[in-house]
Amino acid sequence: MSRDAFPRGFVWGVATSAFQIEGAHDIDGRGPSIWDRYAAQPGLIEDGSNANVACDHYHRYQGDIGLMKSLGVGAYRFSIAWPRVVPFGRGPVNEAGLDFYDRLVDGLLSAGITPWSTLYHWDLPQALQDEGGWTRRSTADAFVEFADAVSIRLGDRVQHWITHNEPWCVSVLGHADGKQAPGHRSWPEALVASHHLLLSHGRVVPVLRCNSPGSRIGITLNTAECEPASPSDADRAAARQFDGELNRWFLDPIHFGRYPSDVIEYHERVGRLPRGMDFVRPGDLEEVHTPLDFIGVNYYSRAVVRSSTVPEADNEPRTIPAPDPIELTDMGWEVYPNGLTRALIRLNTDYAPSALFVTENGAAYSTGPGSDGSVEDTERCAYVKQHLGACLEAIRAGVPLHGYFLWSLLDNFEWAFGFSKRFGIVWVDFETQERIIKASGHMYSRIVRRNSLAEDRAA
Ligand code: IFM
């Protein structure tokens, strides 16, 4: 195998999520989600936009499948909008909503593209939030009902399932930092929510195994290497602590059936667990600790962590901008491909998952069409090549990395940033819905077809 070649059978994909691309927010019985509500509040979305139309993928999915086919990708990771399928979170199933995913899955299969379906990518039905959302244990039960309905309908054709996307973002950004829906600022809520997310994951896996026999099931986590800002003991301790909150809080229960004791102790010490871990009931962690077929890794950058020098009550470790970054993306995130290699090796060493997939990796750059209509997004090309090189490094180091999904197929609604950040390898004109494959899309297509970085590595 040449130095630049990927293993035979390596899965090459692109990824999106329902809320970010579908639009059709009130079509065919879809109910409101927490992100509709969040985006409707003045001042919360950077450019004042909402996702009511987004990429209008709901109506244009056939064209979007055509784009994927022309790129030659073998797999498409998309999410299922819970409010489209069960508009009020629990209760009657909206068959028209399921019909859409039926059409999408059939279209993908006839184009030779393998569907990879994520069940929860952040768009909780608002009706469930009105009852307390993920802070309520009953939301985990509602998620099981939703997953059951989806997998009964699609489980004969969808053979790759991801239960949750980035539960750290849902719990911490959504419930402690207020930067995402539902926009709360309460650490106790965030920790309860994280447990119910994990519990719902564990409970859905056997449902999927039953309704979709032979399928491969995993969960996607946003992992990042947490590096101390300096060699000082304080910064090293802060980095370890942030690693605990971000990575081990999710990975340990899934793989070992327990929460990391140092992180529990820390949360208790700073008052985030006023009633201890009383939301964890007997048997919960056995359910969370259910065998998986893979772990999905979403990687964008590393976290550089310093201890708090301000005497804040919680002494929370702070992530800071990397010192002397060579390059930042439009998100302000450092381009740091080596962090991907290290994250994959660490996951393999510490947790020995059956398989790993990079389920998201990509970069926001605003480059648009030039005078000839082409989009020469050279920075994204470089980013993708460097990170694929990082994947190869990990594979050479023995990591069972079996695939890579580029985020994202399309420019789309980047949550609290609205349309101000573009991650697509396909340009979307949000006025006309015209799509243009960017240079990065053409480059990715060549890599996919060759199953190798050769020639493109140095370009
Ligand atoms: O757009 C998001 C995606 O929904 C989840 N992972 C990170 C991406 C870029 O911020």
Side-chain angles (χ1 to χ4, degrees):
M1 192 167 97
S2 94
R3 190 174 157 268
D4 289 321
F6 283 80
R8 193 190 299 271
F10 193 77
V11 173
W12 291 105
V14 286
T16 65
S17 87
F19 189 78
Q20 294 177 272
I21 64 164
E22 283 180 4
H25 69 116
D26 58 357
I27 303 280
D28 293 339
R30 179 188 179 276
S33 79
I34 55 172
W35 270 97
D36 297 296
R37 176 69 62 87
Y38 188 83
Q41 293 174 49
L44 294 187
I45 305 297
E46 188 174 293
D47 59 2
S49 61
N50 60 49
N52 291 356
V53 178
C55 306
D56 196 28
H57 173 76
Y58 189 79
H59 297 112
R60 296 168 191 268
Y61 71 95
Q62 286 169 312
D64 293 337
I65 292 172
L67 279 172
M68 287 185 261
K69 190 171 179 185
S70 75
L71 292 172
V73 296
Y76 175 46
R77 175 179 173 233
F78 59 97
S79 77
I80 309 251
W82 187 347
R84 223 179 260 301
V85 175
V86 191
F88 299 99
R90 63 166 65 83
V93 170
N94 177 32
E95 297 301 330
L98 280 175
D99 290 346
F100 169 67
Y101 296 106
D102 241 351
R103 295 193 292 274
L104 177 64
V105 165
D106 287 344
L108 289 166
L109 290 172
S110 49
I113 299 167
T114 303
W116 282 58
S117 172
T118 304
L119 286 167
Y120 189 72
H121 198 126
W122 305 358
D123 44 358
L124 187 73
Q126 181 61 40
L128 291 178
Q129 187 61 46
D130 294 342
E131 298 172 3
W134 286 110
T135 65
R136 288 284 301 274
R137 197 174 167 92
S138 53
T139 297
D141 300 328
F143 185 61
V144 174
E145 286 174 31
F146 159 62
D148 189 42
V150 170
S151 55
I152 284 173
R153 178 71 92 88
L154 303 179
D156 56 337
R157 286 153 293 147
V158 173
Q159 288 289 289
H160 296 84
W161 298 95
I162 293 169
T163 55
H164 281 281
N165 181 72
E166 302 179 353
W168 179 85
C169 294
V170 177
S171 45
V172 176
L173 297 183
H175 294 79
D177 289 353
K179 291 180 181 158
Q180 296 198 347
H184 295 184
R185 290 176 186 275
S186 158
W187 263 102
E189 273 194 26
L191 296 176
V192 175
S194 69
H195 180 65
H196 293 152
L197 286 156
L198 284 167
L199 181 65
S200 74
H201 155 80
R203 288 188 171 175
V204 153
V205 171
V207 173
L208 295 173
R209 295 221 185 276
C210 173
N211 294 342
S212 186
S215 62
R216 300 181 77 190
I217 302 167
I219 186 170
T220 279
L221 304 172
N222 51 310
T223 52
E225 281 296 283
C226 301
E227 297 182 18
S230 79
S232 74
D233 287 350
D235 283 350
R236 288 157 70 101
R240 171 80 182 154
Q241 186 179 316
F242 190 68
D243 174 65
E245 292 179 24
L246 176 71
N247 298 319
R248 291 181 286 121
W249 189 256
F250 297 91
L251 285 160
D252 285 16
I254 289 168
H255 289 93
F256 308 138
R258 59 169 191 266
Y259 284 102
S261 55
D262 61 315
V263 189
I264 297 177
E265 278 163 27
Y266 171 72
H267 287 319
E268 278 178 335
R269 198 166 63 242
V270 298
R272 293 174 180 171
L273 289 168
R275 292 189 308 279
M277 297 283 284
D278 69 348
F279 47 83
V280 180
R281 295 197 188 159
D284 281 6
L285 286 164
E286 284 76 21
E287 288 192 272
V288 173
H289 177 212
T290 184
L292 294 177
D293 303 303
F294 64 90
I295 293 289
V297 174
N298 289 359
Y299 178 85
Y300 291 89
S301 191
R302 65 172 166 168
V304 178
V305 188
R306 69 165 168 74
S307 65
S308 176
T309 49
V310 193
E312 282 121 334
D314 64 359
N315 196 31
E316 174 69 1
R318 306 284 169 221
T319 56
I320 60 165
D324 306 323
I326 294 170
E327 197 197 337
L328 298 177
T329 69
D330 285 357
M331 298 295 281
W333 296 343
E334 180 193 17
V335 178
Y336 193 71
N338 185 247
L340 175 55
T341 310
R342 287 165 48 189
L344 292 168
I345 291 175
R346 182 270 178 105
L347 275 169
N348 192 41
T349 307
D350 290 359
Y351 297 98
S354 313
L356 287 165
F357 289 85
V358 172
T359 42
E360 285 182 27
N361 175 242
Y365 291 110
S366 59
T367 325
S371 52
D372 64 353
S374 69
V375 183
E376 300 301 325
D377 56 338
T378 47
E379 293 158 308
R380 183 175 291 100
C381 291
Y383 181 100
V384 171
K385 279 185 283 188
Q386 288 166 10
H387 286 78
L388 286 172
C391 290
L392 278 175
E393 291 291 330
I395 292 167
R396 280 195 280 270
V399 173
L401 178 66
H402 293 178
Y404 174 94
F405 290 76
L406 209 163
W407 184 272
S408 178
L409 172 66
L410 303 170
D411 290 336
N412 60 47
F413 183 80
E414 177 56 25
W415 307 110
F417 298 93
F419 297 105
S420 69
K421 305 285 185 259
R422 291 178 177 268
F423 276 89
I425 55 171
V426 174
W427 169 268
V428 177
D429 180 325
F430 294 108
E431 297 296 319
T432 63
Q433 294 296 342
E434 184 191 4
R435 273 90 157 128
I436 302 170
I437 298 177
K438 302 179 188 179
S440 57
H442 294 298
M443 180 203 75
Y444 190 54
S445 178
R446 290 191 298 274
I447 293 170
V448 165
R449 290 180 201 281
R450 292 182 190 133
N451 197 39
S452 171
L453 265 184
E455 292 181 44
D456 272 295
R457 179 186 273 279

